[in-house]
Amino acid sequence: WGTLGHATVAQIADNYLTPAAKTYVQGILGSGVTMASVASWADNYRYTTAGKFSAPYHFIDAEDSPPSSCSVSLDRDCGSGGCVVSAIANYTQRVQDGRLSEENTKEALEFLIHFFGDITQPLHDEAEEVGGNDIKVTWDGADTNLHACWDTQMVEKAAGGGNSTATLDSFSQTLIGRIDSGSYSSEKASWISCVNIETASDCAVGWAQDANAYNCQYVLKTDESGQELDGDYYTGAEPIIELQLAKGGYRLGAYLNNLAAAA
Ligand code: DCM
Ligand code: DCM
Ligand code: DCM
Ligand code: ZN
Ligand code: ZN
């Protein structure tokens, strides 16, 4: 996801933190630093020399065969340089490791906040065409690619335009309303069926599989090469984007509650 998607996941998560988890998160990030404000730090970091090692942590390249067959396998798909599943497991360990510096502990939490977002983006759980980066499309007439549309353009459109603070607040509230008493309320329990910090890798494989399945159901079901996406394709994608952001946020909140309870 782009900046707005990551901030939305973080802001939704923040809404579901227990008082103990709010104190825990604030103690690591620093007082007054919101989760939404650090949610995209990892995307800036991966393009730096110091942060290059973390570039593969943002995705898992599932070598499946969409749209006929979708699947994620840790052994098959998590490369030697790591992937989003191993990164979630690693930073779950690191954030709890009392021997780390304050800076490295903070980075571990910032990575977790970020990767709980990326793992719900279907194309971050897919190797095909480099996660859709090599599928050239247009958005409102401008050349772009399928992956970028899922990360950014379609999220901004779903949120009502742009990525201002007002857009973030209203979009997050809309999704929180659906979780609390709307169309997501009956399924939200299934989103957190696996949020045990002791089995982070196994849980994260399940989250990756859940998101990867949308590649067969919708994302890569039709060949959109050369097509304009701001139309029928967007209409079908919007409910998936909203669901996945809500899911990532609600799940991150539950996970941080578990981390705080164990601290
Ligand atoms: N940092 C942070 N939040 C940000 C930007 C940076 O916590 N939004 C932290 C992460 C590193 C340190 O600052 O511990 C150095 O960051 P950078 O690599 O961006 O210089
Ligand atoms: N790092 C990591 N796993 C390790 C060691 C370091 O993920 N085993 C990460 C943590 C920081 C970055 O590398 O985000 C820089 O760490 P350091 O400041 O320890 O070099
Ligand atoms: N990406 C991905 N899978 C890959 C490579 C990249 O999901 N195999 C993601 C990471 C970024 C976007 O695609 O969100 C663009 O990556 P990059 O800037 O590394 O090309
Ligand atoms: Zn992306
Ligand atoms: Zn990312």
Side-chain angles (χ1 to χ4, degrees), residues 60 62 72 84 118-127 208 211-212 215:
I60 181 165
V72 175
V84 69
D118 275 341
I119 201 168
T120 70
Q121 208 279 47
L123 290 168
H124 278 245
D125 305 288
E126 181 55 60
N212 164 274
N215 292 315

Side-chain angles (χ1 to χ4, degrees), residues 6 43 46 58 114 118 124:
H6 284 289
D43 272 334
R46 77 192 160 101
H58 294 251
H114 186 87
D118 275 341
H124 278 245

Side-chain angles (χ1 to χ4, degrees), residues 18 73-74 133 186 208:
T18 59
S73 157
L74 192 58
N133 278 289
S186 62

